[in-house]
């Protein structure tokens, strides 16, 4: 990653009728960075991506690619390529023709075209599939063709619009690793749109969390997860685990809304000791949920509200169902509590 | 456990006798298709190879190719064949040139709210009587004071009047919806992201239209052309009303079937064969799946 800016957005705004889809977004994407736009549907993340690609015109604001203002430049004049959510492969062309399309449009000589398309197909492990029609491929394969079709043009920036959304869980996890490896290999700037927080945390250098057309927080996965800046981020990235106003005052002795991640909380018996530098709160176990690798406890607090705690099922008996209805103590180190609102 | 047994529920008659159910479903349409439709077609083909006794006017039921030899060697007839083919091709081309941009507008430019209204507008002429529409064109094409002549007169031009051009214009108008609707349907099936992808890969609009839109809607265009082409080939009323002295194959059939039924049958067979050849030629384009 270098220090130069690949994409610069300033005051980017887009309205659809009365709805403000994107509301004055400022964002700098660095060269070679993997940046994820994360947010629920309707939060404006896809619209931002489509404006960078040139499919949507902003109502206000500025888009710069590599220092040049492209706000009014049509998609075919921008040095970016897109991987679409539905892949958007041309059904009347073979895989090879699909991958070559961008090069053919730019009048690259036939021999070089062949060679680069072959190389691109190899890089997504689809060599030998060139003569197939897109309809003869599986979802994961189509996804990789779409990736090859974009990468073969060696764009400055690759835009990915929820490209893994249509894949099943296992394939999605494989592709997450693969995408990250490809991105490291080619060194191209990736802007990746998703609503899946795990995907965002797994792959990104930085995450921009979107809500209602604005960026709520911009930071590394660790920052966004461990230090959520707002209650929205705390809730959207990870489980919303909030101590609100009165409860915070009672437990922490401080005002405001505070967040503690579930895996930072230990569940202990009411008579067990609390260590130095820890906060503790009494509650009753409402629900015990076994999820394989770990067990989740939902605990109703005596001071009001509830918290979730997650415990690894490391060894021994892990059937903790008997704890339902039991009084417990929730404890956590004070350095894991973060203020998300006043 | 108690020993009372309830009998298993039994399916209806059709469930227990699937063959009978199939027979019940297919008998009426098969009767219609085989006896009335294919039967009359077979009768047409058969009659085309018979002849008429010149003196008695009686049907001679012996095989002969005379009718076809007459049609293809007598210039009066093969000119009509070529003219009819020309009209059908021109009508198809006109419908395509006008219908394609219109269908594109309806499917991809107009907001989704307007689409049903535009489709209804395109369909509206189909609900009006064929004769009313053709006579309306007769009035408009009228050589001296028809609407078209009146519009063109300030430019020093005359109207097309009655004849070849009049037939092409009128038939194009009549069959236009049959071209627009399949193309419209084909274009609405095309995802927006396909067009975005083409632009994203560097193609300007003209290139996208040539390399992506056209190949993808081609089957729909062929589907539409099957309608415009075959409907034009078989038409004879339009030629009668706005054709002036120009005749089409249908007019030949109309004027000969009373006096020489086998000859009329041979002439009527020609458009059927042309359409079959056309269908055979386009079957690989996927158009037949689009009808």
């Amino acid at each position: 990653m270098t220090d130069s800016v690949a994409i610069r957005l300033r005051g980017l705004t887009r309205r659809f009728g009365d709805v403000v889809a994107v509301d004055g977004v400022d964002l700098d994407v660095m060269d070679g960075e993997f940046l994820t736009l994360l947010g629920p549907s309707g939060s404006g993340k896809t619209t931002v991506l489509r404006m960078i690609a040139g499919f949507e015109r902003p109502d206000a604001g500025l888009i710069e690619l590599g220092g040049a203002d492209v706000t009014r430049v049509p998609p075919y004049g921008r040095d970016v390529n897109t991987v679409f959510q539905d892949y958007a492969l041309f059904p009347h062309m073979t895989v090879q023709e699909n991958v070559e399309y961008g090069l053919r449009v730019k009048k690259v000589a036939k021999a070089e075209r062949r060679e680069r398309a072959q190389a691109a197909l190899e890089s997504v492990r689809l060599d030998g599939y060139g003569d197939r029609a897109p309809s003869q491929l599986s979802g994961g394969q189509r996804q990789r063709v779409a990736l090859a079709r974009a990468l073969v043009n060696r764009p400055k920036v690759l835009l990915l619009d929820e490209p893994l959304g249509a894949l099943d869980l296992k394939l999605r996890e494989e592709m997450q690793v693969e995408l990250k490896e490809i991105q490291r290999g080619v060194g191209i700037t990736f802007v990746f749109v998703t609503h899946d927080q795990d995907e965002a945390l797994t792959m990104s250098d930085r995450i921009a969390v979107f809500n209602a057309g604005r960026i709520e927080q911009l930071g590394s996965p660790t920052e966004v997860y461990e230090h959520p800046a707002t209650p929205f981020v705390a809730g959207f990235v990870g489980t919303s685990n909030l101590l609100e106003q009165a409860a915070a005052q009672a437990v922490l002795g401080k005002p405001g809304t505070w967040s503690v991640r579930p895996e930072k909380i230990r569940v202990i018996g009411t008579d067990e000791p609390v260590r130095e530098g820890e906060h503790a709160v009494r509650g009753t176990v409402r629900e015990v949920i076994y999820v394989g690798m770990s067990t989740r406890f939902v605990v109703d607090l005596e001071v009001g509200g509830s918290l979730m705690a997650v415990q690894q099922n490391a060894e021994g008996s892990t059937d903790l169902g008997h704890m339902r209805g039991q009084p417990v103590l929730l404890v956590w180190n004070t350095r894991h509590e973060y203020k998300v609102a006043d | 456990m108690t020993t009372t047994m309830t009998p298993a529920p039994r399916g209806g008659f059709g469930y227990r006798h699937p063959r009978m159910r199939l027979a019940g479903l297919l008998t009426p349409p098969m009767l219609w298709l085989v006896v009335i439709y294919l039967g009359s077609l077979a009768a047409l083909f058969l009659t085309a190879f018979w002849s008429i006794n010149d003196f008695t006017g009686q049907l001679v039921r012996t095989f002969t190719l005379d009718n076809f030899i007459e049609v293809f060697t007598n210039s009066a007839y093969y000119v009509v064949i070529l003219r009819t083919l020309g009209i059908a091709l021109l009508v198809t081309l006109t419908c395509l040139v006008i219908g394609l941009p219109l269908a594109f507008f309806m499917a991809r430019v107009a907001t989704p709210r307007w689409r049903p209204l535009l489709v209804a507008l395109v369909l509206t002429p189909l609900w009006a009587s064929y004769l009313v529409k053709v006579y309306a064109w007769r009035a408009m094409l009228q050589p001296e004071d028809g609407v078209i002549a009146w519009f063109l007169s300030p430019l020093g031009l005359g109207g097309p009047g009655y004849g070849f051009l009049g037939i092409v214009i009128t038939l194009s108008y009549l069959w236009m919806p049959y071209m627009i609707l399949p193309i419209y349907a084909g274009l609405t099936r095309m995802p927006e992201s396909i067009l975005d992808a083409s632009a994203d890969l560097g193609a300007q609009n003209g290139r996208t239209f040539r390399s992506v839109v056209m190949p993808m809607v081609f089957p729909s265009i062929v589907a539409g052309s099957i309608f415009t082409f075959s409907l034009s080939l078989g038409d004879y009323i339009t030629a009668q009303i706005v054709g002036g002295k120009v005749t089409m194959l249908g007019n030949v059939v109309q004027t000969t079937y009373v006096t020489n039924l086998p000859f009329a049958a041979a002439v009527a067979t020609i458009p059927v064969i042309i359409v079959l050849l056309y269908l055979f030629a386009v079957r690989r384009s996927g158009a037949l799946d689009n009808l």
Side-chain angles (χ1 to χ4, degrees):
Chain A
M1 218 200 300
T2 62
D3 287 345
S4 58
V5 176
I7 307 171
R8 174 173 287 140
L9 308 179
R10 287 292 175 272
L12 203 62
T13 302
R14 178 77 168 105
R15 296 179 203 92
F16 294 110
D18 295 336
V19 184
V20 184
V22 176
D23 190 3
V25 164
D26 297 327
L27 180 65
D28 285 345
V29 186
M30 298 302 160
D31 252 343
E33 180 178 34
F34 196 124
L35 182 103
T36 296
L37 313 182
L38 173 68
S41 54
S43 62
K45 58 192 192 305
T46 295
T47 308
V48 167
L49 193 86
R50 290 177 59 79
M51 285 194 285
I52 298 174
F55 306 139
E56 303 274 354
R57 283 256 198 124
D59 291 309
L62 178 81
I63 304 168
E64 278 182 15
L65 289 175
D69 182 357
V70 296
T71 316
R72 314 238 159 269
V73 176
Y76 49 80
R78 301 187 186 196
D79 193 8
V80 301
N81 284 115
T82 308
V83 177
F84 293 84
Q85 185 168 17
D86 62 357
Y87 319 138
L89 299 179
F90 305 123
H92 59 290
M93 296 183 195
T94 64
V95 167
Q96 177 89 18
E97 287 166 342
N98 263 281
V99 177
E100 280 185 28
Y101 185 78
L103 301 175
R104 220 169 65 222
V105 168
K106 288 181 202 89
K107 301 198 163 51
V108 173
K110 193 175 176 184
E112 187 191 343
R113 221 160 66 199
R114 295 244 106 185
E115 209 172 292
R116 278 171 67 177
Q118 290 293 351
L121 282 173
E122 262 169 52
S123 74
V124 294
R125 295 189 288 114
L126 278 179
D127 32 326
Y129 285 80
D131 293 332
R132 306 241 186 138
S135 59
Q136 294 170 300
L137 302 181
S138 70
Q141 290 169 333
R142 281 180 218 184
Q143 213 283 320
R144 297 211 294 269
V145 175
L147 193 61
R149 185 179 67 175
L151 285 173
V152 76
N153 304 290
R154 298 176 189 149
K156 280 208 198 82
V157 175
L158 188 73
L159 307 171
L160 303 104
D161 182 11
E162 308 215 21
L164 310 181
L167 306 181
D168 62 56
L169 183 64
K170 205 150 185 75
L171 201 53
R172 198 157 72 217
E173 284 171 351
E174 281 172 26
M175 280 305 295
Q176 287 172 8
V177 177
E178 216 168 292
L179 262 183
K180 185 69 201 172
E181 277 170 6
I182 289 172
Q183 192 259 341
R184 278 208 199 94
V186 294
I188 291 175
T189 310
F190 274 38
V191 179
F192 186 95
V193 162
T194 184
H195 61 261
D196 182 335
Q197 47 140 332
D198 289 330
E199 214 161 86
L201 293 171
T202 314
M203 295 194 285
S204 321
D205 295 318
R206 285 195 301 160
I207 299 172
V209 185
F210 274 74
N211 182 32
R214 293 169 175 278
I215 296 178
E216 292 252 341
Q217 188 174 1
L218 176 66
S220 71
T222 328
E223 279 166 0
V224 168
Y225 186 77
E226 307 253 339
H227 304 248
T230 67
F232 175 81
V233 177
F236 194 74
V237 184
T239 315
S240 176
N241 228 16
L242 300 177
L243 278 171
E244 286 174 298
Q245 308 301 342
Q249 191 64 258
V251 179
L252 315 172
K254 294 180 272 196
T257 299
W258 295 71
S259 169
V260 189
R261 290 299 181 195
E263 68 278 11
K264 308 290 188 194
I265 301 176
R266 287 188 299 129
V267 183
I268 60 176
T270 46
D271 51 352
E272 288 182 54
V274 177
R275 296 180 205 148
E276 180 109 1
E278 280 185 336
H279 271 133
V281 58
R282 283 178 71 97
T284 309
V285 176
R286 191 209 312 160
E287 203 54 75
V288 181
I289 305 153
Y290 177 74
V291 278
M293 246 198 270
S294 57
T295 302
R296 290 185 202 143
F297 300 89
V298 181
V299 178
D300 290 324
L301 306 182
E302 281 180 2
V303 294
S306 65
L307 283 178
M308 184 186 281
V310 175
Q311 194 171 295
Q312 292 296 312
N313 295 332
E315 54 179 319
S317 165
T318 50
D319 186 6
L320 300 168
H322 63 274
M323 289 184 67
R324 207 172 280 120
Q326 297 290 316
V328 290
L329 217 48
L330 299 181
V331 297
W332 61 86
N333 195 299
T334 51
R335 68 169 190 276
H336 292 310
E337 56 199 32
Y338 292 99
K339 195 174 187 175
V340 292
D342 289 328
Chain B
M1 253 181 92
T2 56
T3 49
T4 35
M5 299 266 282
T6 47
R10 280 158 58 92
F13 179 80
Y15 182 81
R16 280 172 283 132
H17 304 276
R19 274 168 191 280
M20 294 300 283
R21 185 172 47 170
L22 198 64
L25 186 70
L26 288 183
T27 304
M30 286 312 275
L31 273 178
W32 172 267
L33 193 69
V34 172
V35 176
I36 299 177
Y37 185 77
L38 291 180
S40 56
L41 204 60
L44 177 78
F45 281 130
L46 205 59
T47 313
F49 294 102
W50 290 342
S51 60
I52 279 278
N53 184 308
D54 285 339
F55 295 107
T56 60
Q58 291 295 306
L59 212 52
V60 182
R61 292 184 169 83
T62 47
F63 179 86
T64 171
L65 286 171
D66 287 352
N67 296 322
F68 288 98
I69 292 166
E70 168 78 359
V71 170
F72 287 107
T73 52
N74 185 334
S75 67
Y77 294 123
Y78 69 70
V79 164
V80 176
I81 296 176
L82 289 178
R83 185 191 298 135
T84 306
L85 256 178
I87 288 175
L89 285 172
L90 274 175
V91 168
T92 300
L93 200 67
T94 310
C95 287
L96 177 62
V97 167
I98 297 175
L100 182 62
L102 196 60
F104 190 86
F105 175 81
M106 288 165 61
R108 309 233 60 115
V109 182
T111 58
R113 220 157 49 95
W114 281 90
R115 278 180 206 156
L117 183 70
L118 290 168
V119 171
L121 280 175
V122 168
L123 283 172
T124 310
L126 292 181
W127 299 328
S129 150
Y130 173 98
L131 278 179
V132 168
K133 289 182 286 186
V134 179
Y135 273 108
W137 273 101
R138 184 181 169 83
M140 288 199 281
L141 289 165
Q142 232 258 334
E144 289 87 36
D145 46 7
V147 179
I148 293 174
W150 181 76
F151 262 111
L152 292 175
S153 60
L155 307 169
L157 296 167
Y162 303 135
F164 187 84
L165 204 54
I167 297 175
V168 172
I169 292 172
T170 307
L171 288 178
S172 298
Y173 166 81
L174 286 174
W175 313 139
M176 188 71 74
Y178 295 99
M179 180 63 94
I180 294 176
L181 291 176
I183 300 179
Y184 168 79
L187 283 169
T188 42
R189 275 200 300 270
M190 193 165 64
E192 182 74 32
S193 61
I194 293 271
L195 301 180
D196 282 346
S198 179
D200 187 69
L201 292 164
Q204 305 200 10
N205 297 343
R207 179 63 191 248
T208 299
F209 189 79
R210 266 183 298 128
S211 296
V212 177
V213 177
M214 277 306 277
M216 282 183 75
V217 300
F218 184 71
S220 307
I221 291 175
V222 175
S225 74
I226 289 171
F227 288 120
T228 57
F229 185 73
S230 57
L231 287 170
S232 302
L233 271 190
D235 198 273
Y236 67 99
I237 299 174
T238 295
Q240 237 175 23
I241 297 172
V242 301
K245 293 198 184 94
V246 174
T247 54
M248 295 174 68
L249 273 178
N251 304 106
V252 177
V253 177
Q254 190 195 12
T255 50
T256 54
Y257 83 96
V258 179
T259 52
N260 191 344
L261 190 63
F263 183 76
V267 174
T269 305
I270 293 166
V272 176
I273 290 168
I274 294 175
V275 170
L276 284 176
L277 286 175
Y278 186 65
L279 289 178
F280 187 75
V282 301
R283 78 194 187 289
R284 287 190 167 278
S285 73
L288 304 182
D289 313 329
N290 273 277
L291 288 178

